[in-house]
Amino acid sequence: MRISYFLPAGIIDNADFEEVGWSSEKIFEKTGIRQRHIAGEDEFALDLAAGAAERLFREHDIDKDRIDYLLYCSQSPDFTVPNNASILQFRLGLSKHIGSVDFSQGCTGFIYGLSFAKGLLLSDQAKHILLVTTDTWSKYIHKKDRSTRSIFGDGAAATYLCREDAQKIGAFVYGTDGSGAENLWVKTSGLRFRRGDTVVSEVADGSGNVRTEDNLYMNGPEVFNFSLRRVPEAVHLLLERAGLKMSDIDHFIFHQANGFMLERLRAKLDIPREKFRLYLDSVGNTVSSTIPIVLGNLYKENQLVSGQRVMLVGFGVGYSWIATLYTV
Amino acid sequence: MTRNDLLSEIKSVLQRKDDLSEDSVIKEIREWDSLAAVSIISLFDERFGVNFDDDAFGKMATIKDLIDVVRDKLDVA
């Protein structure tokens, strides 16, 4: 598969948080993140998506007229009506004779995209797929909420897949648990809790983080607890389904949630550091794009050798979790 | 590990300067924020392979409640 990604130019460094009284070093220690890219006021998910797609066509010499299916993943969409994929089709000047659909997933978005692509390609419904993941969660986040502001970054990734790629995508493990919905959500993000004219009130939590119901809320401990329970289980189930052992895997790429959680998962699963791929200190948690960004970098640095096995694991908002194997 | 050992570990993870007893009320512990909770979850996972039930922290009042989660795995002092 071919991957490119695009990050907005705006950057928030840990040092920028010092002015609100947060320790730069402590943030790095707890999250593994030093910088995150943040979309400008007039910059939205579609803009990042177009940036990633145009870069993909250019960097990998892909003829955009051949794209016959567009998969668009975002949980910070410019629009809910119409879908954003249609708008991106127009903006990129893709053929009009294509399928296009939005789907809503966060941390599991890229791997879900692979699962759809595999199905479409192997059933001959599509030959040249453009999968886009794009998020601007910064726009949901209250500037006085350290729990989320220190972690999330904006970004988009564009991936080209053809039949040959689909054949290299292996078994899948899926998981869904909606009882965790309220532990990582934007309460008013849809119609159900949309306000009329009532004023939105700011609330401070026990740790001094401030937010309203229009902002992203994340219950860190609960989400961490969920991840520790479900991720190892998914990893072992996937290996069992594929008839493989941990030592058969050459690269592990987990959703880059935050450094502390990743390290705990790595240690718990006893994954050697050199196989456990990380890239978040300069981009933060870009939600649906964390995994393709890591993969894209590995390809660029020639660290992926043909025949190697890569395990991809996504987990988070929903709750949702997913894992797959990819053979380079 | 005894209950007392675990109490010391909890105190250390919280980076707490004052004393801590099993009767300490979680909500009143100054150092208990979501980062501390995450560290506690990590400690229990690493030491005992124990995962908390959903909303477990919501139901706990004191440090004793926390230690009781793993009471079957602790040595009698």
Side-chain angles (χ1 to χ4, degrees):
Chain A
M1 58 179 106
R2 313 267 185 273
I3 305 177
S4 292
Y5 63 89
F6 182 90
L7 304 167
I11 288 181
I12 294 186
D13 191 277
N14 286 353
D16 299 326
F17 290 138
E18 300 268 0
E19 54 191 46
V20 266
W22 303 342
S23 152
S24 174
E25 261 320 295
K26 192 157 185 198
I27 288 180
F28 177 69
E29 192 190 299
K30 287 297 174 188
T31 65
I33 301 165
R34 287 197 198 281
Q35 282 186 342
R36 336 76 201 115
H37 290 250
I38 303 294
E41 255 190 54
D42 294 318
E43 199 175 12
F44 295 88
L46 266 171
D47 302 310
L48 306 189
E54 274 152 11
R55 188 170 280 172
L56 175 78
F57 300 147
R58 205 172 54 240
E59 281 179 353
H60 298 279
D61 201 23
I62 289 168
D63 179 3
K64 66 178 182 185
D65 293 331
R66 303 183 83 192
I67 301 294
D68 56 9
Y69 212 103
L70 174 53
L71 293 166
Y72 189 99
C73 176
S74 181
Q75 288 192 327
S76 44
D78 295 44
F79 302 97
T80 47
V81 185
N83 72 354
N84 299 271
S86 303
I87 299 173
L88 189 63
Q89 175 276 335
F90 176 62
R91 198 157 149 178
L92 293 176
L94 303 179
S95 162
K96 291 187 175 57
H97 303 286
I98 70 169
S100 66
V101 67
D102 286 9
F103 66 97
S104 172
Q105 274 293 5
C107 325
T108 54
F110 180 71
I111 304 175
Y112 262 97
L114 293 184
S115 80
F116 300 144
K118 180 179 177 177
L120 289 164
L121 289 162
L122 295 183
S123 61
D124 284 325
Q125 291 186 69
K127 290 190 163 47
H128 307 280
I129 294 183
L130 174 58
L131 163 62
V132 170
T133 54
T134 177
D135 276 298
T136 53
W137 276 31
S138 67
K139 293 179 188 291
Y140 290 132
I141 290 171
H142 194 290
K143 67 175 187 285
K144 289 196 217 146
D145 187 348
R146 179 179 46 187
S147 70
T148 48
R149 211 169 161 220
S150 55
I151 289 181
F152 292 99
D154 299 335
T159 303
Y160 167 79
L161 295 130
C162 61
R163 194 186 174 94
E164 194 188 0
D165 299 312
Q167 285 161 342
K168 297 179 186 173
I169 299 171
F172 282 86
V173 163
Y174 293 102
T176 304
D177 182 1
S179 73
E182 294 177 26
N183 287 325
L184 185 42
W185 74 346
V186 179
K187 188 173 181 182
T188 61
S189 58
L191 294 175
R192 184 175 283 270
F193 290 110
R194 195 204 245 176
R195 291 175 282 102
D197 294 323
T198 49
V199 172
V200 180
S201 47
E202 287 185 342
V203 172
D205 68 17
S207 305
N209 296 310
V210 179
R211 66 184 75 86
T212 71
E213 287 187 342
D214 290 346
N215 297 123
L216 178 70
Y217 166 66
M218 180 174 72
N219 184 331
E222 287 292 347
V223 175
F224 185 67
N225 201 44
F226 145 77
S227 307
L228 285 181
R229 181 190 293 169
R230 296 300 187 184
V231 171
E233 174 190 283
V235 167
H236 292 303
L237 184 55
L238 182 65
L239 289 172
E240 195 184 299
R241 275 194 192 159
L244 295 171
K245 304 183 299 295
M246 287 291 276
S247 54
D248 294 324
I249 309 298
D250 298 292
H251 305 276
F252 293 83
I253 303 175
F254 285 18
H255 163 61
Q256 308 285 286
N258 72 69
F260 185 88
M261 183 192 285
L262 284 170
E263 173 52 25
R264 188 65 225 121
L265 286 169
R266 184 204 66 75
K268 191 176 165 87
L269 285 161
D270 206 16
I271 298 171
R273 277 183 207 283
E274 63 276 10
K275 290 189 176 183
F276 193 69
R277 298 311 192 162
L278 295 175
Y279 185 71
L280 76 165
D281 67 340
S282 61
V283 297
N285 176 343
T286 54
V287 195
S288 56
S289 297
T290 70
I291 292 173
I293 286 175
V294 175
L295 259 177
N297 282 340
L298 289 176
Y299 269 118
K300 207 179 280 184
E301 293 157 13
N302 290 319
Q303 294 212 41
L304 296 176
V305 175
S306 177
Q308 283 185 326
R309 290 192 189 93
V310 185
M311 182 186 288
L312 306 176
V313 185
F315 52 95
V317 57
Y319 296 137
S320 175
W321 62 102
I322 192 171
T324 193
L325 287 169
Y326 172 67
T327 306
V328 179
Chain B
M1 185 185 291
T2 65
R3 290 183 78 97
N4 249 341
D5 294 331
L6 182 53
L7 182 64
S8 296
E9 291 241 21
I10 291 169
K11 183 176 167 183
S12 157
V13 150
L14 291 176
Q15 294 178 331
R16 182 159 169 88
K17 298 188 173 68
D18 302 337
D19 223 349
L20 198 71
S21 77
E22 292 206 24
D23 294 327
S24 299
V25 175
I26 289 176
K27 277 195 174 62
E28 289 165 15
I29 297 174
R30 213 175 339 117
E31 296 85 353
W32 190 286
D33 59 11
S34 62
L35 281 178
V38 158
S39 301
I40 297 286
I41 290 169
S42 186
L43 170 71
F44 275 55
D45 177 62
E46 195 178 356
R47 285 267 188 274
F48 305 106
V50 151
N51 213 227
F52 290 90
D53 290 335
D54 296 338
D55 198 34
F57 285 135
K59 299 183 197 127
M60 279 179 218
T62 61
I63 294 292
K64 177 180 181 302
D65 293 334
L66 180 57
I67 295 178
D68 278 347
V69 170
V70 292
R71 67 168 170 264
D72 297 333
K73 299 184 193 246
L74 296 169
D75 305 319
V76 177

